[in-house]
Every structure is written in structure tokens, then in C-alpha cells.
């Protein structure tokens, strides 16, 4: 057993500070059964939501991917497969790595996934939880200009 103090005022202040009060549900009716559906079982598949017009998942990845310095120095490339659940409220949970690359690429792929908000899957006119996967490819083409972050030195290569 663990005993801890919970202060409602501090909790509400943190919620306002983090913007939890402003989070709008992407769909009015939500399935509360906690059942997780696979894509063939739903009528509308989950889709990432973007605030900018014309933004696509590919463009988002290009603009936000920071090639890990260790992977860059060791010429590590490959595809990270992330398995996750898109919740009925549009956030992701239960992130697991289905295919690993290493060199910091797994962590970067998870960071990118957590940046996204989603329109949840729809079944019987209700937002439902759904199982998804996403492949994020890390590649080092010769002569390209990558945004590399060296977390050990706090400088770009």
C-alpha cells in the first residue's frame, strides 16, 4: 500500500496549465465498453488530425523527424514498426515496438507518434478504440541534409 496526498486545487491548476480543459472530443458519441477493434471491424479507420491545412502524415514526418545522433554516426537505418491503440478520444496508448532499429530510432519514432492527435475509428456511429500500426523509416541517403540532434553535446552535427 502507498499513501499519497492529493490536492484537488493543484490538480485542477495542472489540468488548466496543460490544456486538458480545452481538449475537444473528435466525435460526440463514444463507446465506453473498452473493447479494442481491428481495422476490418470498423466502418471508418482512424486518421491523424492536423491543425495546418494541406498537412499529410508524410510531410509531418519530414518536418518533425530528428535523426538520432547515435544512429547517424553509426550509419544505422531501417524501419521501426509501432503497434498502438487509438483511443476513442483520439489519443494513442499501449505503444509497443513491433520491429526495432536501435540507435535511438525507436525512441524518436515513439516521440513522433505521441505528437499526433487522431480522429478515432467509427463503428455503429460511435467512436471506438482501435488497434493500429505505423512504420517509420529512417534512412541516410548520401549527400542529404539531415536534422541531427546530439543529445550528449547539445549541438547539431
Amino acid at each position: 500500500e502507498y499513501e499519497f496526498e492529493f490536492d484537488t486545487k493543484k490538480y485542477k491548476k495542472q489540468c488548466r496549465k496543460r490544456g486538458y480543459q480545452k481538449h475537444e472530443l473528435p466525435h460526440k458519441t463514444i463507446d465506453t465498453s473498452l473493447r479494442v477493434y481491428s481495422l476490418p471491424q470498423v466502418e471508418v479507420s482512424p486518421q491523424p488530425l492536423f491543425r495546418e491545412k494541406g498537412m499529410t502524415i508524410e510531410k509531418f514526418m519530414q518536418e518533425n523527424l530528428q535523426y538520432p545522433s547515435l544512429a547517424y554516426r553509426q550509419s544505422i537505418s531501417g524501419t521501426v514498426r509501432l503497434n498502438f491503440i487509438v483511443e476513442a478520444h483520439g489519443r494513442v496508448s499501449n505503444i509497443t515496438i513491433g520491429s526495432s532499429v536501435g540507435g535511438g530510432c525507436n525512441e524518436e519514432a515513439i516521440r513522433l507518434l505521441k505528437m499526433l492527435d487522431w480522429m478515432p475509428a467509427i463503428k455503429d456511429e460511435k467512436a471506438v478504440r482501435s488497434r493500429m500500426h505505423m512504420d517509420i523509416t529512417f534512412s541516410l541517403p548520401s549527400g542529404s541534409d539531415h536534422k541531427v540532434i546530439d543529445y550528449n553535446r547539445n549541438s547539431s552535427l
Side-chain angles (χ1 to χ4, degrees):
E1 286 183 32
Y2 294 100
E3 196 171 304
F4 61 93
E5 185 178 325
F6 181 79
D7 186 342
T8 306
K9 289 181 182 179
K10 285 183 182 178
Y11 174 75
K12 288 181 180 180
K13 182 179 177 181
Q14 285 296 323
C15 286
R16 280 192 307 276
K17 182 178 175 184
R18 294 177 183 166
Y20 296 155
Q21 308 285 70
K22 300 174 188 172
H23 184 71
E24 296 177 17
L25 296 174
H27 199 270
K28 293 187 188 295
T29 310
I30 294 180
D31 177 28
T32 57
S33 70
L34 299 180
R35 180 176 175 192
V36 179
Y37 293 88
S38 63
L39 291 183
Q41 295 174 308
V42 298
E43 295 153 8
V44 179
S45 298
Q47 298 294 319
L49 294 172
F50 299 106
R51 287 174 177 71
E52 296 177 34
K53 282 193 170 191
M55 181 65 76
T56 63
I57 190 76
E58 293 82 11
K59 187 175 176 184
F60 175 83
M61 293 296 170
Q62 286 176 346
E63 290 180 4
N64 293 288
L65 186 134
Q66 297 173 345
Y67 214 96
S69 61
L70 180 60
Y72 185 83
R73 286 194 303 265
Q74 295 180 357
S75 297
I76 295 173
S77 61
T79 301
V80 175
R81 173 166 276 206
L82 298 176
N83 301 309
F84 56 98
I85 293 176
V86 176
E87 298 290 339
H89 53 69
R91 303 280 180 162
V92 296
S93 68
N94 301 340
I95 302 169
T96 60
I97 298 172
S99 176
S100 178
V101 172
C105 295
N106 299 335
E107 292 79 6
E108 177 62 10
I110 291 170
R111 184 188 74 83
L112 288 169
L113 177 62
K114 286 182 175 181
M115 290 174 68
L116 294 170
D117 286 325
W118 292 76
M119 175 61 78
I122 306 296
K123 180 170 177 68
D124 299 327
E125 297 184 21
K126 290 183 181 179
V128 296
R129 301 173 77 210
S130 60
R131 186 170 286 110
M132 295 275 299
H133 70 269
M134 177 183 288
D135 294 333
I136 300 175
T137 302
F138 293 82
S139 61
L140 287 168
S142 60
S144 66
D145 184 22
H146 285 285
K147 189 189 294 182
V148 178
I149 304 299
D150 189 343
Y151 294 104
N152 298 325
R153 296 186 201 151
N154 289 330
S155 64
S156 295
L157 294 176

